[in-house]
Amino acid sequence: AARGTYLAAAQVFRFAGYLDRFAAALGEADGVTAIAVTWCDPQTEQRYGDEKRNDPGLPLVIDVLPHVLSILEIVLPGRSVGCQHVVAARAGAQIDLRLAVNGAPCAVHLARDAERRTRIIEVVTQRHRAVLDFTVEPGIITIDGRAQNADPDWASAPSPLTRLLAASVVKIAP
């Protein structure tokens, strides 16, 4: 602010409609009893016609944890998050965290060089079990065994990255 500079954090998931729909499907999500997040990446993969590789020079927790935390904030807004335990394995290519989200246990599993890409968030409340599997975007929301497309507008709407970049450009060059 002192320099008049605009800072744009690359929190692309704040622009992902499928997370908003998952949050809406959860409703108020009172009585959350457990949360689990799984985020795994293979060493290389083909996505959107390009080969994607992870950057081994960027620690996994720095690369992925900001995404996970922004996702938790979207899905369960306004809740406090605390870290209770961290276990790193495979020279930091696998990290398991035990968090507490407003006191509810939250298991987070992060892995690089996995067999396949996996993106799953599960929220268990006193009334429901809700899962968003966005391994293949936009993903599938399953509430108590009933599945639905996580974003019916995915094919016709701008991508989350396009929306993030457009919001940044509007702010930088109004």
Side-chain angles (χ1 to χ4, degrees):
R3 294 180 185 205
T5 302
Y6 178 70
L7 173 65
Q11 292 193 5
V12 69
F13 290 103
R14 294 216 177 259
F15 296 87
Y18 52 86
L19 290 172
D20 295 329
R21 284 181 178 79
F22 185 60
L26 286 173
E28 291 297 314
D30 289 331
V32 173
T33 59
I35 306 155
V37 179
T38 302
W39 184 294
C40 301
D41 287 315
Q43 187 173 30
T44 61
E45 64 179 314
Q46 288 294 124
R47 295 198 62 230
Y48 305 111
D50 292 321
E51 183 175 88
K52 182 181 179 220
R53 295 179 170 273
N54 63 50
D55 180 353
L58 185 61
L60 175 63
V61 73
I62 292 171
D63 187 17
V64 177
L65 192 57
H67 293 311
V68 171
L69 294 176
S70 71
I71 289 168
L72 289 173
E73 176 59 29
I74 293 163
V75 173
L76 300 165
R79 289 170 167 74
S80 65
V81 177
C83 185
Q84 298 177 327
H85 191 71
V86 178
V87 175
R90 297 189 302 118
Q94 178 177 314
I95 298 175
D96 289 288
L97 300 106
R98 191 170 60 227
L99 307 176
V101 178
N102 265 27
C106 177
V108 177
H109 175 73
L110 312 175
R112 275 199 179 138
D113 302 332
E115 288 184 31
R116 65 186 165 278
R117 173 186 173 86
T118 307
R119 304 281 190 279
I120 299 174
I121 180 167
E122 176 181 0
V123 178
V124 179
T125 70
Q126 292 173 349
R127 298 181 336 174
H128 302 288
R129 178 179 179 268
V131 177
L132 170 61
D133 182 339
F134 60 106
T135 299
V136 177
E137 292 173 302
I140 302 293
I141 295 172
T142 306
I143 308 282
D144 296 333
R146 292 182 308 277
Q148 60 184 298
N149 184 332
D151 189 349
D153 301 323
W154 180 259
S156 60
S159 73
L161 182 58
T162 299
R163 293 175 57 206
L164 172 115
L165 292 172
S168 298
V169 169
V170 165
K171 188 65 176 175
I172 292 168

